[in-house]
Amino acid sequence: MSDWAIPQDWNSYTAGEHAVWDTLFARQSRLLKGRTTQAFLRGMDVLRLSRPGIPNFAELSERLMALTGWCVVAVPGLVPDAVFFEHLANRRFVAGRFIRTADQLDYLQEPDVFHDLFGHVPLLTDPAFADYMQTYGAGGLRAQSFGALKKLARLYWYTVEFGLIREHGMLRAYGAGIVSSHGETLFALDDPSPNRIVFDLERVMRTDYRIDDYQQSYFVIDSFEDLRHRTADADFGPLYRRLADLEDITPGAVLPQDRLLNRGTQAHTRHARLT
Ligand SMILES: [Fe+2]
């Protein structure tokens, strides 16, 4: 099976493309102070390479490899699930090489190199999170034989992409989809619209998500160590069988058994439907 890896071809980036990276990096670095975890803030140092602009994957990988044994490989865009899982299970993070244009800084569609590197790579320097990602990849390869990919994908979505964490009693963002987005960083932490619910593995794997707007519910973990335990130590076979008989939960729903940090007004979603 091909691994879909392509050369990053760093020398082909234009000055304008590097400038987009630098603008986004400066903007998000400023915004995230006090809004993301200490682990993410520390991990951002790995992205500060010898030259400004879009990081060179080879240089970045060398630094990441020395810290937690991960590396970054370029791919042309979205890759098949099995390829994605295989890379993660071997501590390789796949990243797009293109970058959004200067007039689309708040771009939300396919993940670009800013989302993939700025959003995902800092936490790969955290040992517990780095292990969680590898375990997720191995779990993905197994989930295929259970026909449970949709359920497992929700775990990735609500943690790796849109996870929140409580650190010293304060709510912080760690999901790549949040921390790489100016608007969603503010929305996920401060807006009264979304629900914020204490993470529960089974609950998350039953919950649908939105790909076209900010999330209607965010799930909150206590630590990466805790997340790693809850997933690495869980027996997913029986869990998938149990989940197969349970109904999916809509993105904005609140269940009686949820441990709610706050119940969202869902005003954002209602407004978006009207316009
Ligand atoms: Fe992502």
Side-chain angles (χ1 to χ4, degrees):
M1 182 173 69
S2 155
D3 71 359
W4 288 63
I6 56 169
Q8 181 194 14
D9 196 10
W10 191 86
N11 288 318
S12 71
Y13 289 121
T14 65
E17 287 174 321
H18 285 305
V20 169
W21 171 279
D22 289 337
T23 301
L24 288 167
F25 191 95
R27 183 171 76 156
Q28 281 311 94
S29 307
R30 258 195 320 273
L31 181 69
L32 287 174
K33 287 199 189 100
R35 292 193 172 92
T36 187
T37 65
Q38 290 302 315
F40 189 94
L41 290 173
R42 271 195 306 275
M44 278 171 57
D45 275 345
V46 80
L47 294 170
R48 297 190 173 96
L49 302 180
S50 54
R51 287 174 289 198
I54 299 166
N56 180 307
F57 287 11
E59 188 184 351
L60 176 61
S61 292
E62 214 171 284
R63 299 181 62 173
L64 196 52
M65 184 66 73
L67 292 167
T68 53
W70 275 78
C71 68
V72 176
V73 293
V75 290
L78 292 175
V79 300
D81 292 328
V83 174
F84 178 68
F85 295 140
E86 185 74 32
H87 279 297
L88 291 185
N90 289 286
R91 290 174 107 85
R92 294 189 298 263
F93 191 75
V94 296
R97 59 167 307 287
F98 78 99
I99 192 155
R100 69 196 75 179
T101 54
D103 56 2
Q104 272 198 307
L105 290 186
D106 294 307
Y107 168 96
L108 270 174
Q109 290 97 43
E110 276 210 25
D112 69 343
V113 69
F114 184 75
H115 167 88
D116 283 336
L117 295 196
F118 183 89
H120 287 281
V121 168
L123 279 188
L124 291 173
T125 67
D126 180 86
F129 192 84
D131 286 352
Y132 171 67
M133 289 288 279
Q134 178 183 11
T135 306
Y136 183 88
L141 294 170
R142 279 197 304 276
Q144 293 179 304
S145 60
F146 287 96
L149 279 189
K150 191 171 162 198
K151 303 232 167 14
L152 190 70
R154 292 167 175 161
L155 175 61
Y156 192 90
W157 190 264
Y158 282 119
T159 59
V160 179
E161 294 292 354
F162 294 98
L164 297 179
I165 186 168
R166 274 184 295 192
E167 196 169 67
H168 308 302
M170 306 293 286
L171 204 58
R172 301 284 186 246
Y174 73 88
I178 304 177
V179 298
S180 63
S181 158
H182 189 270
E184 192 143 4
T185 299
L186 297 172
F187 181 83
L189 292 172
D190 301 333
D191 201 282
S193 186
N195 303 314
R196 298 181 184 88
I197 305 170
V198 173
F199 178 87
D200 176 89
L201 181 61
E202 191 169 307
R203 163 64 153 102
V204 163
M205 290 174 81
R206 290 176 61 193
T207 308
D208 272 329
Y209 55 79
R210 308 192 52 138
I211 57 166
D212 57 342
D213 200 349
Y214 299 152
Q215 300 307 300
Q216 289 180 253
S217 297
Y218 295 91
F219 292 90
V220 185
I221 62 169
D222 282 323
S223 69
F224 297 128
E225 197 55 53
D226 187 50
L227 176 64
R228 184 169 72 120
H229 277 307
R230 284 160 180 274
T231 48
D233 299 344
D235 192 348
F236 278 70
L239 178 59
Y240 291 142
R241 280 191 285 276
R242 199 161 61 244
L243 289 172
D245 297 330
L246 295 172
E247 270 180 44
D248 288 346
I249 301 167
T250 55
V254 170
L255 306 185
Q257 64 268 35
D258 282 341
R259 289 169 60 204
L260 268 178
L261 298 182
N262 73 274
R263 179 187 288 264
T265 61
Q266 301 298 334
H268 174 82
T269 308
R270 271 198 305 281
H271 180 74
R273 287 203 180 118
L274 293 173
T275 52

